Structure formats: structure tokens, C-alpha cells
Amino acid sequence: MSAHADPATHGTVFGEAVVTVDLTLGDCVIRAPRPGPILPVQRRVRFHSVEEIQAAYQVQIGLAQTDPVAGDIARALKFAVQQLQSHQERQS
């Protein structure tokens, strides 16, 4: 069973964002509230590689100046990259 299936158990919380990292698959899923038409909605985004996560981090860290949730997402993405890179180093 993937860690993504149960974020309450396997997730790491960064403010408003929750990240699950699947070391076997080498990916992560971020869950965070985003503005909706009336109320904020919970959004789930899956990133499939370290490179994809790093690119998303660059976008979110730029948005963090005006959006506090983007800062939470950036910290979650940074954590995911660190976890995946550490796992890859142990496998080598």
C-alpha cells in the first residue's frame, strides 16, 4: 500500500500543507487548501520525480512572498526532495 493512501498516518504537516513521500516509487503528493470560487478547496498534486519536485519548489518559493500557503507547500516540497535524495544515496 502506498503512503499516499493514508496522509493522516504517513503524511508530514507543514502549516496548511501535508506531504506524503513514497520512497519506493520516488514521488510525493502534496495536499493543501487553495482558493475556490466561494471557499478554499483541498487540492492534491502528485510529483513524479526529484526534478519535478525541485521545479515546483522554485515556483512555490517565489509565490511565498504573497501567499503563506505557498510557503508551506515549498517547505513540504523541500522535505520531499531531501527524503528522496537521502533514500537514493542509501541505495547506491
Side-chain angles (χ1 to χ4, degrees):
M1 182 165 122
S2 174
H4 307 315
D6 189 3
T9 302
H10 301 289
T12 303
V13 177
F14 293 87
E16 297 284 325
V18 177
V19 61
T20 53
V21 181
D22 190 321
L23 298 175
T24 305
L25 295 176
D27 69 354
C28 78
V29 172
I30 301 285
R31 292 169 176 83
R34 301 310 303 154
I38 298 171
L39 295 172
V41 294
Q42 193 69 11
R43 182 153 184 237
R44 177 186 181 271
V45 180
R46 186 176 203 153
F47 299 96
H48 299 278
S49 67
V50 169
E51 293 79 18
E52 195 175 56
I53 298 167
Q54 289 172 327
Y57 170 80
Q58 292 301 318
V59 171
Q60 294 300 315
I61 202 70
L63 295 172
Q65 299 297 320
T66 58
D67 182 359
V69 176
D72 296 339
I73 294 169
R75 287 191 299 281
L77 291 166
K78 184 176 180 179
F79 171 80
V81 167
Q82 291 170 341
Q83 294 295 303
L84 291 169
Q85 287 176 335
S86 176
H87 179 72
Q88 288 171 354
E89 289 171 4
R90 286 191 303 261
Q91 297 299 313
S92 300

